[in-house]
C-alpha cells in the first residue's frame, strides 16, 4: 500500500475516533466542514483577550485530546517508510513540533489587523472541539 494512502487512512481513523467519542456528525448544517482558515470572530474584543481565550481553549480542549491520543498519532501519522515499505518513526515530522505549530496557528494566528487568520480548531464559533479536530485530521491527511 502506498505511503500516502496509509497516512490518509491513519488520519481518517483519528477523525472517526474523534467523531465516535463525541457521537456527532462532522458536517455543518449547510454541509460544509469548516476546513478553511477562520478570521477573528469578534473584532470588538481586544487582541490580547482573544489570544487569552484561544489559549485557554487550546490548552483545555485541543491539546488535552491530542495528548490522550499521542501514541496513536505517533504510530500512524508521524511515520516514514523504507524502500521495503517498513514503517519507522519520522525524523522530519514529529508530534512535538506538530503541537508547537498547531498551538501557534490556533492561538496567535498569522497576519494582523483585519487580515489575521487562525487555524480552526473549534475556537471561533460554537461548533466546538469535534469540528476542530476533524479540521486537524483533514490537514494531516494532506501532509
Amino acid at each position: 500500500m502506498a505511503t500516502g494512502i496509509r497516512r490518509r487512512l491513519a488520519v481518517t481513523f483519528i477523525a472517526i475516533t474523534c467523531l465516535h467519542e463525541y457521537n456527532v456528525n462532522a458536517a455543518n448544517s449547510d454541509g460544509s466542514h469548516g476546513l478553511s482558515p477562520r478570521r477573528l470572530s469578534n473584532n470588538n474584543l481586544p487582541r490580547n483577550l482573544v489570544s487569552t481565550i484561544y489559549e485557554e481553549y487550546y490548552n483545555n480542549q485541543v491539546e488535552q485530546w491530542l495528548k490522550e491520543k499521542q501514541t496513536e498519532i505517533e504510530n500512524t501519522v508521524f511515520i516514514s517508510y523504507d524502500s521495503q515499505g517498513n514503517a519507522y518513526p519520522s525524523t522530519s515530522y514529529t508530534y512535538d513540533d506538530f503541537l508547537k505549530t498547531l498551538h501557534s496557528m490556533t492561538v496567535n494566528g498569522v497576519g494582523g489587523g483585519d487580515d489575521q487568520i487562525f487555524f480552526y480548531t473549534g475556537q471561533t464559533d460554537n461548533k466546538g472541539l469535534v469540528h476542530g479536530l476533524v479540521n486537524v485530521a483533514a490537514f494531516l491527511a494532506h501532509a
Side-chain angles (χ1 to χ4, degrees), residues 4 52-53 56 58-62 70 86 100 122 124-125 133:
T52 301
I53 293 168
E56 183 177 311
Y58 179 84
N59 291 338
N60 294 330
Q61 300 286 322
V62 179
Q70 180 176 353
N86 300 313
K100 288 176 193 173
T124 59
D125 56 26
L133 291 173

Side-chain angles (χ1 to χ4, degrees), residues 10-116:
V11 172
T12 301
F13 167 77
I14 291 168
I16 290 170
T17 301
C18 169
L19 294 173
H20 177 72
E21 285 181 10
Y22 292 94
N23 195 24
V24 297
N25 184 338
N28 295 331
S29 60
D30 66 357
S32 68
H33 293 276
L35 300 178
S36 60
R38 300 293 180 148
R39 299 205 181 276
L40 196 59
S41 63
N42 190 339
N43 291 328
N44 297 327
L45 293 175
R47 298 259 182 240
N48 60 344
L49 178 59
V50 169
S51 184
T52 301
I53 293 168
Y54 287 3
E55 175 87 32
E56 183 177 311
Y57 172 82
Y58 179 84
N59 291 338
N60 294 330
Q61 300 286 322
V62 179
E63 190 170 289
Q64 180 181 352
W65 191 91
L66 290 170
K67 284 186 175 184
E68 288 173 8
K69 304 296 182 195
Q70 180 176 353
T71 301
E72 292 172 63
I73 293 169
E74 287 178 323
N75 291 336
T76 58
V77 178
F78 297 113
I79 54 176
S80 295
Y81 295 90
D82 64 18
S83 60
Q84 266 62 54
N86 300 313
Y88 63 92
S90 176
T91 55
S92 300
Y93 304 102
T94 66
Y95 176 83
D96 291 334
D97 288 342
F98 164 69
L99 276 188
K100 288 176 193 173
T101 304
L102 183 62
H103 175 269
S104 178
M105 293 298 298
T106 298
V107 174
N108 304 320
V110 171
D114 292 338
D115 293 329
Q116 188 172 17

